[in-house]
Amino acid sequence: RVPGTPAAPDFTIPDLDGKDVRFSDHKGKVVLVNFWATWCPPCRAEMPELLQAARDYPDLALLAVNVAEAPAAVSEFAAQFRMDVPVVIDPQGTISDRYNVSGLPTSVFLDENGVIMDVRPGAIDRGVIDAVLGR
């Protein structure tokens, strides 16, 4: 780790199937932690591009962190968008607080060592993802 660069807060939280998801399980990959909500139009707009990028880049792990919504609404959204990535719910906003998220959506890019590379508030598209990943 480069001195002065922030390490991302680690977290363990169950996904929609009850399986624990840990950020640290993805060491060695670039991780895109996306904070979102079902009621958020920009979140809905960006999700297909995020999911496609995760499919196109095998060295990218996408973690979809829903902020404080009911499991039924999150499950419905995940089914609608055919989300094939870990989907977790941050029920009290604890994780989003630890990542200093002030609005939705927010995307946090972490390098292979768990160091925050970039934080993008607002909706992002494939061009942003490609630029951050240097592709």
Side-chain angles (χ1 to χ4, degrees), residues 13-59:
I13 191 166
D15 66 12
L16 293 177
D17 298 322
K19 183 179 140 215
D20 277 348
V21 173
R22 288 177 191 81
F23 160 70
S24 55
D25 289 346
H26 299 283
K27 287 274 168 84
K29 285 188 165 194
V30 173
V31 179
L32 168 49
V33 183
N34 179 255
F35 295 91
W36 61 279
T38 63
W39 50 261
C40 161
C43 300
R44 297 179 87 78
E46 75 176 352
M47 193 57 70
E49 291 200 48
L50 300 180
L51 294 167
Q52 188 60 51
R55 286 190 282 274
D56 291 347
Y57 293 133
D59 57 338

Side-chain angles (χ1 to χ4, degrees), residues 31-114:
V31 179
L32 168 49
V33 183
N34 179 255
F35 295 91
W36 61 279
T38 63
W39 50 261
C40 161
C43 300
R44 297 179 87 78
E46 75 176 352
M47 193 57 70
E49 291 200 48
L50 300 180
L51 294 167
Q52 188 60 51
R55 286 190 282 274
D56 291 347
Y57 293 133
D59 57 338
L60 175 67
L62 172 60
L63 300 178
V65 180
N66 174 274
V67 180
E69 288 191 278
V74 176
S75 293
E76 185 178 309
F77 182 97
Q80 178 185 355
F81 283 89
R82 295 183 175 90
M83 295 175 75
D84 51 358
V85 299
V87 177
V88 301
I89 299 173
D90 181 12
Q92 281 85 40
T94 308
I95 296 169
S96 57
D97 287 349
R98 289 177 67 195
Y99 277 83
N100 298 314
V101 171
S102 59
L104 299 176
T106 295
S107 295
V108 180
F109 291 85
L110 312 169
D111 72 10
E112 297 87 347
N113 299 309

